């Protein structure tokens, strides 16, 4: 199988490519704006080109025609960017990806597309079901929702192409995947990373850990190896079991408040071999979301997946518990930083 991965150097792209090269005989054709992660994966079955999906459209179209399955993993996926630069989020996450979806429909090539847990928004359901839960977002002046809305509309476009023009597709919805190489420490230092990386950076640099609105938000964290195991099964698609399906990939057993997450991560960090003798550790401070993000931010207080469909279709279930996931992530970032 020939797999086209756009955003091959990103968090999911890197780990997926590594797993493909080590456990299958598939060919990977990858594009990204950098190769700082995947350059360590030198392999004759990895064909990389440095490029931008908004610029190198001819290369992309040629490889969509050439490959069996297309995975567009390029997106801005950090809340700070949703409120600071919503138009860039829209241009990249929606417009650039829409062009790729149209090319897949044109050549009838299977697309495995990363939806997001954010499409559920402030859904009232206790657990989010792919086929039943309502998708609810906030008012227009809360610009945080531009990411969720862009992704949701792409989900609907892909579904329509599948139903009306026979586009083969699978949508997968990651729930707070964490692990090595989630974000760079440099990005985290600037305050533009996702929560686990942000907390690790704060711990490393002895900066305060900020709990936005008290850290009441609940999140279900999924270790990257569990997520990739599910993705490999989706790509294999035995008996076409994943065709025209939306699949949550998360770990509802790892559901925790951001406040409890902060204290757990500080405790793990303080016991780490390289930092257990540190004389001081980050303070944990509550901060108002308007002060931290600005007026156009709105939060999501529940984000717990139902994974019954993944269990049934993929014969998959996550195995890495929360503490182990955090220990592995923290250790990897400490070693990478040093």
């Amino acid at each position: 199988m020939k797999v086209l991965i756009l955003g091959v150097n990103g968090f999911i792209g890197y780990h997926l490519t590594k797993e493909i090269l080590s456990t299958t005989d598939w060919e990977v054709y990858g594009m990204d704006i950098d190769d700082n992660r995947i350059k360590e994966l030198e392999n004759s079955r990895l064909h990389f080109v440095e490029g931008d999906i908004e610029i190198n459209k001819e290369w992309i179209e040629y490889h969509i025609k050439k490959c069996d399955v297309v995975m567009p993993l390029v997106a801005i996926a950090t809340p700070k960017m949703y409120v600071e630069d919503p138009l860039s989020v829209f241009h990249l996450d929606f417009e650039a990806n829409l062009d790729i979806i149209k090319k897949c429909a044109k050549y009838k090539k299977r697309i495995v597309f990363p939806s997001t847990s954010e499409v559920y928004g402030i859904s009232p359901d206790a657990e989010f079901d792919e086929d039943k839960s309502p998708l609810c977002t906030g008012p227009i002046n809360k610009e945080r929702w531009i990411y969720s809305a862009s992704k949701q509309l792409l989900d609907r476009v892909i579904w329509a192409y599948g139903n009306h023009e026979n586009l083969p597709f699978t949508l997968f919805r990651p729930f707070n995947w964490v692990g090595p190489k989630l974000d760079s420490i440099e990005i985290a230092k600037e305050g533009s990373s996702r929560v686990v990386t942000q907390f690790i950076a704060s711990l490393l640099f002895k900066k305060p850990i900020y709990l936005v609105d008290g850290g009441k938000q609940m999140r279900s964290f999924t270790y990257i190896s569990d997520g990739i195991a599910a993705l490999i099964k989706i790509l294999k698609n035995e008996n076409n079991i994943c065709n025209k399906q939306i699949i949550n990939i998360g770990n509802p057993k790892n559901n925790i408040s951001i406040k409890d997450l902060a204290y757990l991560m500080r405790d793990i960090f303080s016991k780490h071999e390289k930092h257990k003798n540190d004389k001081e550790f980050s303070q944990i401070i509550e901060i108002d979301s308007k002060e931290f993000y600005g007026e156009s931010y709105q939060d999501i207080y529940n984000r717990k997946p139902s994974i019954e469909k993944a269990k049934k279709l993929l014969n998959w279930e996550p195995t890495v518990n929360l503490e182990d996931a955090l220990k592995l992530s923290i250790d990897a970032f400490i070693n990478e930083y040093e």
Side-chain angles (χ1 to χ4, degrees):
M1 186 159 69
K2 294 182 176 67
V3 184
L4 174 60
I5 302 179
L6 303 170
V8 72
N9 190 59
F11 175 52
I12 295 176
Y14 163 81
H15 286 282
L16 178 61
T17 301
K18 184 177 180 180
E19 186 70 11
I20 287 173
L21 295 176
S22 62
T23 63
T24 76
D25 61 355
W26 305 345
E27 302 271 332
V28 175
Y29 294 84
M31 174 186 278
D32 214 317
I33 57 174
D34 198 357
D35 68 347
N36 62 312
R37 290 185 175 109
I38 63 155
K39 61 185 176 185
E40 68 182 57
L41 304 179
E42 289 185 13
N43 189 294
S44 61
R45 290 183 287 117
L46 172 58
H47 314 278
F48 174 78
V49 64
E50 188 174 308
D52 186 321
I53 67 166
E54 295 182 279
I55 298 170
N56 301 89
K57 295 184 178 182
E58 289 183 4
W59 186 95
I60 292 172
E61 182 166 5
Y62 172 79
H63 283 82
I64 288 173
K65 288 190 284 186
K66 180 176 182 172
C67 292
D68 303 297
V69 60
V70 179
M71 295 192 72
L73 301 177
V74 179
I76 295 169
T78 51
K80 191 172 171 52
M81 288 292 290
Y82 309 159
V83 297
E84 289 186 354
D85 195 358
L87 291 177
S88 288
V89 173
F90 172 74
H91 293 317
L92 181 64
D93 292 14
F94 181 81
E95 290 184 316
N97 278 280
L98 179 62
D99 189 59
I100 292 161
I101 292 163
K102 288 179 177 179
K103 294 292 193 301
C104 290
K106 178 180 178 180
Y107 298 110
K108 296 294 185 285
K109 291 302 177 90
R110 183 177 181 226
I111 185 168
V112 175
F113 191 79
S115 178
T116 171
S117 58
E118 287 238 354
V119 299
Y120 295 105
I122 46 179
S123 176
D125 290 358
E127 287 194 350
F128 298 154
D129 181 283
E130 303 95 327
D131 302 316
K132 297 177 182 177
S133 289
L135 311 182
C136 308
T137 54
I140 299 301
N141 63 5
K142 300 299 182 184
E143 290 179 303
R144 180 239 214 277
W145 297 110
I146 197 161
Y147 173 71
S148 172
S150 295
K151 287 292 227 176
Q152 184 193 143
L153 186 52
L154 286 175
D155 286 1
R156 295 187 184 279
V157 168
I158 290 170
W159 184 274
Y161 270 119
N163 269 356
H164 299 279
E165 297 192 11
N166 296 314
L167 170 67
F169 75 86
T170 305
L171 298 170
F172 69 95
R173 288 184 178 151
F175 278 72
N176 291 88
W177 290 13
V178 298
K181 304 183 188 296
L182 175 59
D183 296 298
S184 77
I185 287 295
E186 291 307 311
I187 290 174
K189 281 172 70 176
E190 297 167 6
S192 297
S193 66
R194 287 160 279 201
V195 65
V196 166
T197 326
Q198 199 65 56
F199 285 1
I200 294 172
S202 295
L203 289 163
L204 274 171
F205 301 117
K206 306 291 187 282
K207 292 183 176 180
I209 291 175
Y210 290 108
L211 300 178
V212 175
D213 292 338
K216 300 185 293 289
Q217 311 88 334
M218 302 293 295
R219 297 291 184 267
S220 298
F221 292 93
T222 311
Y223 192 62
I224 184 66
S225 62
D226 283 332
I228 296 301
L231 274 188
I232 291 291
K233 287 175 175 284
I234 287 173
L235 286 170
K236 288 181 177 176
N237 196 27
E238 292 178 0
N239 301 315
N240 295 320
I241 195 73
C242 300
N243 280 4
K244 297 185 179 180
Q245 295 288 348
I246 306 171
I247 304 172
N248 289 338
I249 305 178
N251 192 336
K253 292 180 180 178
N254 289 351
N255 199 43
I256 189 173
S257 74
I258 298 302
K259 181 176 183 178
D260 288 343
L261 176 74
Y263 282 97
L264 177 56
M265 289 182 67
R266 189 173 69 175
D267 183 60
I268 293 170
F269 184 87
S270 69
K271 294 173 182 174
H272 192 277
E273 187 63 30
K274 294 180 179 179
H275 290 277
K276 63 184 181 181
N277 295 321
D278 290 3
K279 293 180 179 178
E280 60 176 303
F281 298 94
S282 298
Q283 286 185 288
I284 296 174
I285 299 171
E286 296 187 7
I287 189 170
D288 186 86
S289 59
K290 290 179 183 177
E291 183 182 348
F292 193 80
Y293 285 116
E295 291 285 344
S296 61
Y297 184 76
Q298 186 176 26
D299 220 324
I300 300 164
Y301 285 92
N302 173 54
R303 193 188 287 171
K304 187 177 182 182
S306 165
I307 56 169
E308 294 308 307
K309 185 189 276 192
K311 289 180 181 178
K312 181 180 177 182
L313 293 182
L314 306 177
N315 190 28
W316 169 88
E317 196 165 353
T319 61
V320 183
N321 66 42
L322 179 61
E323 189 162 343
D324 286 344
L326 295 174
K327 284 179 178 177
L328 289 164
S329 301
I330 289 169
D331 187 60
F333 273 99
I334 288 172
N335 291 331
E336 182 179 312
Y337 172 68
E338 293 186 348

